[in-house]
Amino acid sequence: MCESSLRAVGWARSLPVASGVKAAREWARGHLESLGWTESAPETVDAVLLTVSELVTNAHVHAHSTAQLVLTWDNRCLHVSVRDSSAALPAPRSPSAERTSGRGMFLVDALADEWEARPCAGGKAVTACFRPPARPTG
């Protein structure tokens, strides 16, 4: 295999507005367990699950849309993508004592190694990247 080849494994799930965010977290946790992350990178798992919660909540609450959740692991980064039907791109807002919501993307920004939002046909996709901590050598 040449070095430019990329191997990846991925999973996808559609989460209607009525399905609830807990189902998204449980589904994602099962796939993180299959990667061995719950044992080797529990803090990263917590960050991924909180990000899944925030992105799916944003799709349901702000876009009033089904959330298309996709996890892709390419041996370097776990990409957590949520697609919804709103074209409005999210942006982190600073926390405020006056607002009771609006901290989701601020949290994603703090938790993920990187993230991006991009328009796509019929809506947008928000993708966060998580790299597990390096394993000690020796």
Side-chain angles (χ1 to χ4, degrees):
M1 176 177 354
C2 70
E3 288 187 38
S4 65
S5 295
L6 178 65
R7 288 184 159 189
V9 61
W11 307 272
R13 173 136 188 222
S14 181
L15 297 147
V17 174
S19 70
V21 174
K22 182 179 178 197
R25 281 193 312 269
E26 289 172 351
W27 178 83
R29 177 179 286 283
H31 294 295
L32 294 170
E33 286 173 358
S34 76
L35 294 173
W37 285 27
T38 53
E39 294 295 321
S40 66
E43 290 179 1
T44 305
V45 167
D46 291 342
V48 168
L49 295 178
L50 182 52
T51 297
V52 165
S53 294
E54 293 300 332
L55 295 181
V56 171
T57 296
N58 283 354
H60 290 172
V61 172
H62 300 293
H64 309 287
S65 169
T66 293
Q68 305 294 327
L69 173 59
V70 177
L71 303 179
T72 308
W73 169 239
D74 65 11
N75 289 316
R76 291 180 305 212
C77 180
L78 177 74
H79 304 272
V80 177
S81 291
V82 174
R83 186 183 178 287
D84 65 44
S85 64
S86 171
L89 298 178
R93 294 188 300 183
S94 297
S96 166
E98 289 82 43
R99 290 191 312 264
T100 59
S101 66
R103 294 173 182 85
M105 293 312 299
F106 181 78
L107 289 171
V108 171
D109 191 55
L111 294 169
D113 291 301
E114 56 192 74
W115 71 274
E116 69 175 358
R118 60 181 167 63
C120 58
K124 70 171 166 303
V126 180
T127 302
C129 174
F130 294 87
R131 292 178 194 89
R135 292 185 180 157
T137 57

